[in-house]
């Protein structure tokens, strides 16, 4: 329907109800716009209606307003905010112009200038050999060869941030994928240069360090604008198929230590005990020596004193001692006086009965004395020493 | 004023249309070739705003960033020891001569990649064939990569491409060989374990034996010393007795005998059968018996 279609007027007339204000407004707008475009159409087509004198300035004003609004919107599209940790990169007609710092910014809107915002400080992570957690392994990525042609299972993560937004955006098509590729190649190169025992046990930290250095070097060579913040080894172990043997070897090392420790404990038990025993033996000997000497001194002194008294009055002293002794002996023993004058008749001595009179039980047979009154001295009964430890000494005494 | 405004606006719009088709931008990440009637007229390497003849000239863009060619599957190569290895590598390349790139591979990245891949694989095959697995994995890895990069780059220039880097990502052994490696690793570990255990046991024995030996020595020496000391005591005691008793041997005999008798006969169960004519009883019968000696 063309703008200057008389149907518009008909439409107006049909609508008798309805807000008259809007209608009026619409009508006037139509007229003005119709006037404007009618002129254009006339200019192109070569013939058309005349224009209403009052149409253009009014129409021009509204259009001007519209254009002004559009221009404002267009200009406003150049506003943008750069958050902390981000940078804005501004291109003018495709050419790099500047890097903008955090804060509210503005650039000439498209097509003159364009912006891209890059998150510099966000820490991004790349996982190699596993996904999400160490349990879900990706064997293709995690198994690698060492210098001595052994295979180990290594899972690690690389964390990185951006350091140059210009390089990051313009030099590589997929800089973040590059991190993944470089991480793998660098780590495998470092592992490949070292022996398995080093990688598995003592050298973990060093491996991570060297890999980080190599990765950074390569990424810088490609000018990715990325800076690696950390390489973390999540897990290094022998492949599953041989893990049992490796664990056993570790256990063997522990067993060895345990055996040695046990032996040391035995040593520390036995030797001090022996020393203790040695001390005790020596102390006992010393004690024995001192007691024997003291005994001897005592006995000797006793004898010497008695001897000096004896020498003053030998006969009397001897008699006295003899009689004292005999008295004690007679007192303490059971006696039988047998008066035998020459006759060889057998005398029956009921020794057993005599013994029964005695209150103390006496085990062992007594020495029965012979009948003929040959000797006056009583038979001796062997005195056995009771103390085993002094056995030798009694026997050896003069 | 009104008369001019309309045509002015029209003219403005037309002008804009014409202008837009004669201006173009080249992005920081691109190079552009300007074609006129199918022929390359100029190459734009710096980014910015440029002008061209509308309709007559048209532009073709080429991404000049570094691209990666990373094959999905590893390639199999044979080393100098006639062993198979599976190698996964990637190539970093970029367009540096857009005109040459267009002329040789019609600006098709895939075609370029096919060619690069072939060159690199040929290079890898040649280098691996000269070297052992250990060289490839460890010692000569970097060297090989450098050589191949140089070769690939040289060839790539012919299609307007620069090979920035060729890196060996993975060198792995084929499945069957890996199994053998695992067996070997296992056996080697078992040996290590056995050795650890046996040296541990041996050392433990040594320590225990040493402990026992020391114990024996200590106790024996102590016993020896103790006996010696006891002997000293005995000797001294004997000397003391001898000195004392030796002053009057006879009296000693008497005195000691008295003591012996006293100790020997002191229990009621000792029975003495005596003859009353013994010297002890002489006063029993006669108060005036002969004087005792």
């Amino acid at each position: 329907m063309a703008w200057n279609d008389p149907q518009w007027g008909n439409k107006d007339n049909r609508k008798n109800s309805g807000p008259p204000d809007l209608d009026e407004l619409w009508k006037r707008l139509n007229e003005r716009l119709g006037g404007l475009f009618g002129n254009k159409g006339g200019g192109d087509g070569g013939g058309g209606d005349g224009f209403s004198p009052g149409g253009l300035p009014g129409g021009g004003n509204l259009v001007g307003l519209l254009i002004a609004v559009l221009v404002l919107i267009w200009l406003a599209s150049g506003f943008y905010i750069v958050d902390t940790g981000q940078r804005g990169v501004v291109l003018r007609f495709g050419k790099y112009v500047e890097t903008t710092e955090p804060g509210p910014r503005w650039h000439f809107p498209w097509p003159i200038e364009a912006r891209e915002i890059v998150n510099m400080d966000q820490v991004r992570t790349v996982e190699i050999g596993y996904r999400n957690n160490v349990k879900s392994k990706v064997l293709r990525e995690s198994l690698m060869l060492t210098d001595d042609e052994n295979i180990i299972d290594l899972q690690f993560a690389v964390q990185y941030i951006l350091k140059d937004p210009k390089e990051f955006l313009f030099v590589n098509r997929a800089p973040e994928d590059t991190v993944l590729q470089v991480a793998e190649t660098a780590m495998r190169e470092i592992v490949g240069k070292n022996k398995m025992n080093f990688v598995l046990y003592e050298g973990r930290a060093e491996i991570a360090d060297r890999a980080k250095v190599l990765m950074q070097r390569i990424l810088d060579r490609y000018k990715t604008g990325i800076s690696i913040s950390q390489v973390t080894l999540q897990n290094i172990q022998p492949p599953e198929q041989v893990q049992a043997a490796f664990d056993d070897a570790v256990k063997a090392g522990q067993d060895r230590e345990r055996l040695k420790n046990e032996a040391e404990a035995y040593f520390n038990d036995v030797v001090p005990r022996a020393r203790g025993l040695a001390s005790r033996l020596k102390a006992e000997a010393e004690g024995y020596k001192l007691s024997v000497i003291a005994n001897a001194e005592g006995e000797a002194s006793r004898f010497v004193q008695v001897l000096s008294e004896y020498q003053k009055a030998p006969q009397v002293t001897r008699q006295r001692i003899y009689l004292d002794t005999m008295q004690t002996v007679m007192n303490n023993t059971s006696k039988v006086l047998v008066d035998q004058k020459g006759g060889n008749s057998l005398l029956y001595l009921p020794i057993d009965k005599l013994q029964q009179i005695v209150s103390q039980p006496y085990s062992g047979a007594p020495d029965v004395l012979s009948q003929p009154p040959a000797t006056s001295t009583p038979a001796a009964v062997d005195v056995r020493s009771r103390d085993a430890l002094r056995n030798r000494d009694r026997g050896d005494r003069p | 004023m009104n008369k001019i405004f309309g045509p002015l606006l029209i003219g403005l719009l037309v002008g804009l249309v014409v202008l837009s088709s004669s201006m173009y931008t080249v992005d920081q990440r691109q190079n552009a070739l300007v074609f006129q009637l199918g022929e390359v007229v100029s190459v734009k390497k710096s980014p910015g705003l440029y002008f061209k003849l509308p309709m007559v000239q048209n532009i073709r863009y080429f991404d000049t960033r570094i691209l990666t060619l990373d094959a999905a599957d590893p390639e199999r190569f044979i080393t100098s020891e006639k062993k198979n290895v599976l190698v996964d590598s990637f190539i970093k390349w970029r367009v540096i001569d857009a005109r040459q790139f267009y002329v040789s591979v019609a600006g098709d990245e895939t075609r370029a990649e096919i060619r690069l891949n072939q060159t690199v694989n040929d290079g890898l095959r040649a280098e691996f064939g000269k070297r052992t697995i250990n060289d490839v994995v460890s010692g000569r890895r970097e060297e090989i990569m450098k050589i191949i990069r140089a070769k690939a780059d040289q060839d790539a220039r012919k299609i307007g491409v620069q090979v920035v880097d060729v890196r060996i990502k993975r060198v792995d052994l084929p499945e069957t060989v890996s199994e053998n490696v695992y067996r070997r690793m296992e056996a080697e570990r078992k040996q290590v374990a056995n050795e650890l255990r046996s040296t541990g046991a041996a050392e433990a024995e040594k320590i225990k034996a040493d402990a026992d030996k020391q114990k024996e020595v200590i106790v024996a020496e102590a016993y020896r010393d103790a006996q010696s000391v006891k002997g000293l005591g005995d000797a001294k005691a004997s000397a003391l007795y001898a000195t004392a008793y030796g002053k009057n041997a006879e009296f000693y005999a008497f005195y000691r005998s008295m003591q012996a008798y006293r100790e020997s006969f002191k229990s009621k169960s000792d029975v003495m059968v005596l003859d009353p004519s013994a010297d002890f009883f002489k006063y029993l019968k006669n108060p005036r018996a002969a004087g005792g000696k």
Side-chain angles (χ1 to χ4, degrees), chain A residues 11-319:
Chain A
K11 197 174 176 189
D12 269 1
N13 288 333
R14 270 189 287 127
K15 283 189 186 164
N16 286 323
S17 57
D21 292 339
L22 273 176
D23 253 5
E24 272 292 308
L25 216 61
W26 187 241
K27 197 174 175 182
R28 271 195 298 154
L29 185 68
N30 279 342
E31 277 174 21
R32 266 141 210 188
L33 285 176
L36 182 65
F37 283 101
N39 269 342
K40 278 241 170 80
D44 281 349
D49 313 321
F51 56 90
S52 51
L56 194 56
N61 276 345
L62 198 63
V63 169
L65 195 68
L66 212 68
I67 290 176
V69 165
L70 282 173
V71 167
L72 276 172
I73 294 174
W74 180 70
L75 282 175
S77 71
F79 272 113
Y80 64 102
I81 296 180
V82 179
D83 283 332
T84 39
Q86 292 177 336
R87 295 286 180 277
V89 172
V90 178
L91 302 167
R92 185 179 302 153
F93 296 121
K95 182 178 174 168
Y96 167 78
V97 174
E98 62 171 351
T99 308
T100 50
E101 296 285 314
R105 301 266 165 229
W106 183 83
H107 66 83
F108 277 105
W110 188 87
I112 303 174
E113 286 186 351
R115 70 169 182 277
E116 296 196 33
I117 298 182
V118 177
N119 193 334
M120 304 282 291
D121 295 345
Q122 181 199 2
V123 176
R124 304 164 211 231
T125 312
V126 155
E127 293 168 335
I128 289 112
Y130 67 105
R131 299 284 174 269
N132 297 320
N133 72 56
V134 193
K135 303 255 171 72
S136 51
K137 278 193 205 177
V138 180
L139 286 176
R140 253 200 88 189
E141 290 177 0
S142 65
L143 294 174
M144 34 187 106
L145 282 173
T146 62
D147 183 32
D148 39 12
E149 285 183 49
N150 287 323
I151 300 174
I152 58 155
D153 189 334
L154 198 160
Q155 293 155 315
F156 67 104
V158 176
Q159 286 170 322
Y160 62 97
I161 55 172
L162 307 186
K163 63 179 178 184
D164 188 334
K166 200 174 153 205
E167 282 186 355
F168 181 72
L169 286 176
F170 302 138
V171 182
N172 287 276
R173 181 183 280 177
E176 299 201 54
D177 288 348
T178 304
V179 175
L180 180 59
Q181 294 150 359
V182 167
E184 266 210 76
T185 181
M187 183 59 80
R188 279 168 182 267
E189 189 176 324
I190 299 291
V191 166
K193 288 199 171 109
N194 289 286
K195 310 255 178 233
M196 175 185 69
N197 280 330
F198 183 72
V199 175
L200 279 178
Y201 303 125
E202 317 96 66
R204 288 190 190 203
E206 204 183 309
I207 299 277
D209 271 345
R210 280 204 238 156
K212 180 175 169 201
V213 165
L214 181 57
M215 281 182 219
Q216 190 65 59
R217 190 149 46 91
I218 301 172
L219 287 174
D220 287 344
R221 187 141 61 83
Y222 300 166
K223 292 206 178 70
T224 52
I226 285 173
S227 166
I228 297 200
S229 45
Q230 204 176 359
V231 171
T232 322
L233 297 175
Q234 305 287 25
N235 204 4
I236 312 185
Q237 52 191 7
E240 260 180 67
Q241 293 91 324
V242 301
Q243 226 157 45
F246 273 75
D247 288 344
D248 189 53
V250 170
K251 203 156 84 65
Q254 290 169 348
D255 283 349
R256 181 178 124 164
E257 288 308 308
R258 186 171 53 79
L259 285 172
K260 276 170 73 176
N261 287 340
E262 282 175 0
E264 289 283 338
Y266 175 81
F267 186 98
N268 289 335
D269 183 55
V270 159
V271 170
R273 266 187 213 244
R275 293 220 176 91
L277 180 61
S279 301
R280 189 157 63 77
L281 284 173
K282 284 188 190 149
E284 273 179 3
E286 278 295 316
Y288 170 83
K289 174 179 115 178
L290 290 172
S291 88
V292 155
I293 290 175
N295 272 347
E297 282 174 350
E299 299 257 358
S301 157
R302 186 176 167 199
F303 178 78
V304 165
Q305 282 172 35
V306 173
L307 181 64
S308 74
E309 291 311 310
Y310 168 77
Q311 281 168 343
K312 290 177 190 163
Q315 206 154 345
V316 173
T317 309
R318 187 180 285 257
Q319 192 80 359

Side-chain angles (χ1 to χ4, degrees), chain B residues 12 17 38 41 54 66 78 103 138 148 164 191 197 201 212 227 255 258:
Chain B
L12 207 64
V17 168
V41 173
I66 298 178
I78 302 182
V103 163
S138 169
I148 295 177
V164 174
Q191 194 191 6
R197 290 206 168 96
D212 288 336
Q227 293 304 98
Y255 183 72
M258 291 295 116

Side-chain angles (χ1 to χ4, degrees), chain B residues 48-63:
Chain B
L49 187 65
Y50 296 96
F51 293 93
K52 65 171 175 77
L53 298 173
M55 308 284 199
V56 177
Q57 292 181 333
N58 62 312
I59 312 294
R60 177 99 184 255
Y61 293 104
F62 297 91
D63 194 337

